[in-house]
Amino acid sequence: MSNINFLGAASGLPLEELVSTLVRVERDTKFARIDKTKATLDASLSGMGRLKSALSAFQDATKKLEGDSLKARSVTITQPMADKTFIEASANSTAAASSFEVKVNQLARGSRLESADLAYGSSDDVISTTDGTLSFTAGDKSFDIDVTAGMTLNELRLKINESANNFGVNANIINAGGAVGTKLVLSSAISGQGNDLVISNNNAELDAISTVASGVSAGLSSVQAAQDAIIEVDGIVASSSSNTFNNVIQDVTITVLAETPAGNNAKLDISTDKKAAEDNIKAFINSYNSLVDQVGSLTRKRSLGSDGTSVTGGGGALNGDALPRSIMSQLRGLLGNAIAGGDEQMNTLYSLGITFNKGGKLEISTSTEFSTETGQQRFDKALSENYDAVAKMFGGENGLASSLDSFMQGFNQSGGIIAGKESSLRTQLTKNTKDSEAASRYITSFEESLRKRYTALDGLLAQMQRTQTSVTAALSGLPGFGTNKSR
């Protein structure tokens, strides 16, 4: 088609412009509908994504109210000395609010063993000329070390410390020299009274590094026995094989780190965490209100001008889609109804001080227009006097949080309603792309067809012009043709 730019050159007519105009009109007609459809589908797909995101944010805020989330207890510890930590503690959601004094009398610790003075002169001394086995036991834990003939004291230290089965025995060597010589020191991490480290062997040459001899006498002696941790809670003595006390105070875990000074105990206060509950409930309210705003934006209708026909404001991406409004209608029903999992006196958001305002959003009102108490007064009173009832209303087995989460999962989960909508929109976009490609092929074919026809027309007109010129020339040669006669 190298002669496309010369279309009409033969006839002198503007055939190139005519073909370009016809092709442009056909292209605009075809692609106007395709492009409009694509823009609508893109907007709808984006709108579904925004709706899903807003629902997910509200679902996340709802999950923070599920189960025992609102029943969390805060633990405050006043240490005997400001610059040192003596105890740490945490409380389950079922712990009773109360205060205690805690005295730490003794920390739990493991046992410690040492070899005899002058048993070894250096870390390179050979501990046995024959093979044997050392067995380490503390409490219900145990492991073995194989000793090979010619093994040195330092090689034994390394093998003990590197054993994959070691339950917490640390081997060290102290090169004291003089009348002490080199000592093997073994310490056990297994604490608790009666859990002393015991080392036995099957080779009398290893008696020097054992507590139980297979020959004459054992060489290791105890320099520190394993012991329990001992505390007093309001004067009541309790012990633990570790430095952690579980349920000495019911549903409370206490970890002791240091012995408290005489006459100066640690103070432990357990209380309901009203501040955390208030923050999570207000975050729930704000998240719902953000969802209301997002749905309002997505479903906004087009604004018409004063003439009633011109559009002055575009509609939302999901304007005309019933799904967002259906979701909000059902959510308002769940939020406004009595909650099956709540107590009789605390089973509605209204009883907690939370109501819908005229814009359909949740709020804790400061107005007494419809009640003698403001929503804020009811909210504060509920958290102060009915804290666990509030937690049950949201986090109970049939509480509001569980109901809302189940409801939103049907829309938001993989394979849910929104995912189905998105899949359908993507399928339509794929078809739209194919329609666009088909339209492009049609326009190319349409232009080629026009050019063939108008090329033929150009040639025909040129031939007619040449014939006309030839005829005119022939006639002008005839006698009297084209000459006016006077009368």
Side-chain angles (χ1 to χ4, degrees):
M1 297 179 65
S2 59
N3 64 335
I4 286 179
N5 293 330
F6 302 100
L7 184 61
S11 64
L13 296 177
L15 297 180
E16 178 67 38
E17 180 181 350
L18 177 61
V19 169
S20 296
T21 300
L22 290 173
V23 170
R24 183 176 66 255
V25 170
E26 188 70 11
R27 179 183 291 109
D28 291 346
T29 301
K30 289 285 185 184
F31 280 95
R33 175 184 58 81
I34 292 173
D35 292 345
K36 182 179 180 181
T37 299
K38 184 178 187 304
T40 300
L41 291 172
D42 283 338
S44 296
L45 186 59
S46 173
M48 282 296 167
R50 288 158 58 191
L51 175 62
K52 186 176 182 178
S53 178
L55 277 173
S56 293
F58 180 51
Q59 189 173 13
D60 289 342
T62 297
K63 285 183 176 180
K64 291 182 178 179
L65 306 176
E66 286 184 337
D68 291 336
S69 299
L70 283 188
K71 297 177 70 177
R73 301 304 195 238
S74 62
V75 177
T76 304
I77 299 173
T78 304
Q79 305 288 349
M81 298 168 58
D83 59 347
K84 185 174 181 178
T85 301
F86 291 83
I87 70 168
E88 295 175 344
S90 62
N92 296 338
S93 60
T94 49
S98 189
S99 297
F100 303 91
E101 283 203 4
V102 180
K103 179 182 179 183
V104 182
N105 292 330
Q106 178 176 289
L107 294 181
R109 66 186 184 188
S111 56
R112 180 184 174 95
L113 304 173
E114 291 181 4
S115 60
D117 292 349
L118 298 177
Y120 301 100
S122 77
S123 60
D124 293 326
D125 284 1
V126 173
I127 59 174
S128 178
T129 60
T130 56
D131 294 345
T133 300
L134 288 172
S135 298
F136 297 76
T137 304
D140 60 354
K141 307 290 185 181
S142 65
F143 72 99
D144 292 337
I145 292 294
D146 291 328
V147 178
T148 56
M151 179 180 282
T152 66
L153 190 64
N154 189 50
E155 288 173 338
L156 174 65
R157 175 184 70 88
L158 294 174
K159 193 164 187 179
I160 292 171
N161 292 337
E162 294 170 358
S163 172
N165 298 318
N166 191 326
F167 54 73
V169 175
N170 289 320
N172 288 287
I173 293 175
I174 299 177
N175 296 297
V180 176
T182 294
K183 279 183 173 287
L184 176 65
V185 180
L186 299 161
S187 58
S188 170
I190 306 300
S191 59
Q193 186 173 347
N195 290 331
D196 293 318
L197 178 61
V198 176
I199 304 175
S200 57
N201 65 71
N202 64 355
N203 181 350
E205 282 193 84
L206 299 176
D207 282 354
I209 47 177
S210 302
T211 61
V212 178
S214 60
V216 179
S217 62
L220 289 182
S221 59
S222 174
V223 294
Q224 175 181 292
Q227 65 182 30
D228 289 342
I230 300 174
I231 64 173
E232 294 179 34
V233 179
D234 287 348
I236 301 173
V237 178
S239 63
S240 171
S241 61
S242 71
N243 287 315
T244 299
F245 292 80
N246 292 312
N247 292 321
V248 168
I249 301 173
Q250 187 63 41
D251 295 328
V252 177
T253 298
I254 300 173
T255 300
V256 296
L257 305 174
E259 295 178 10
T260 53
N264 193 1
N265 301 330
K267 293 179 175 58
L268 176 63
D269 294 305
I270 303 167
S271 60
T272 54
D273 197 349
K274 290 188 289 186
K275 180 63 171 60
E278 180 177 350
D279 289 345
N280 285 335
I281 292 172
K282 287 184 175 179
F284 165 81
I285 292 173
N286 292 335
S287 182
Y288 175 79
N289 291 343
S290 295
L291 176 61
V292 172
D293 287 337
Q294 185 66 274
V295 170
S297 173
L298 290 171
T299 59
R300 182 184 61 249
K301 295 181 179 180
R302 292 187 302 169
S303 300
L304 298 179
S306 57
D307 58 2
T309 57
S310 61
V311 178
T312 60
L318 298 181
N319 177 34
D321 193 318
L323 179 62
R325 298 186 188 280
S326 174
I327 291 174
M328 296 311 297
S329 175
Q330 294 178 73
L331 278 177
R332 282 191 291 271
L334 288 171
L335 293 169
N337 293 335
I339 299 158
D343 287 346
E344 186 176 347
Q345 300 301 317
M346 187 62 61
N347 63 356
T348 63
L349 289 181
Y350 178 84
S351 60
L352 183 54
I354 303 173
T355 54
F356 285 103
N357 62 21
K358 294 179 181 178
K361 295 183 177 181
L362 294 175
E363 67 174 6
I364 301 174
S365 174
T366 57
S367 170
T368 57
E369 182 179 358
F370 301 107
S371 175
T372 57
E373 291 182 314
T374 66
Q376 188 65 57
Q377 288 172 329
R378 293 197 303 278
F379 185 75
D380 294 339
K381 183 179 179 180
L383 289 180
S384 297
E385 300 178 7
N386 294 299
Y387 183 87
D388 286 340
V390 173
K392 183 180 179 182
M393 181 178 73
F394 281 104
E397 184 178 353
N398 297 311
L400 180 60
S402 175
S403 298
L404 290 172
D405 186 48
S406 296
F407 170 76
M408 286 183 285
Q409 278 185 10
F411 294 94
N412 251 19
Q413 67 184 352
S414 176
I417 294 174
I418 291 180
K421 283 264 190 179
E422 289 176 327
S423 177
S424 175
L425 289 168
R426 290 190 184 96
T427 299
Q428 294 177 66
L429 279 168
T430 299
K431 181 180 181 301
N432 180 265
T433 299
K434 292 180 179 179
D435 290 345
S436 178
E437 293 169 350
S440 294
R441 292 192 298 270
Y442 167 76
I443 292 300
T444 299
S445 174
F446 177 70
E447 182 176 2
E448 289 176 352
S449 176
L450 283 180
R451 287 189 177 280
K452 286 180 181 178
R453 284 186 285 172
Y454 279 98
T455 296
L457 175 62
D458 190 33
L460 177 61
L461 290 174
Q463 183 179 358
M464 292 175 65
Q465 288 174 348
R466 288 194 296 273
T467 301
Q468 179 186 12
T469 300
S470 176
V471 171
T472 300
L475 291 175
S476 64
L478 295 176
F481 183 80
T483 304
N484 292 327
K485 296 181 179 180
S486 58
R487 293 183 180 179

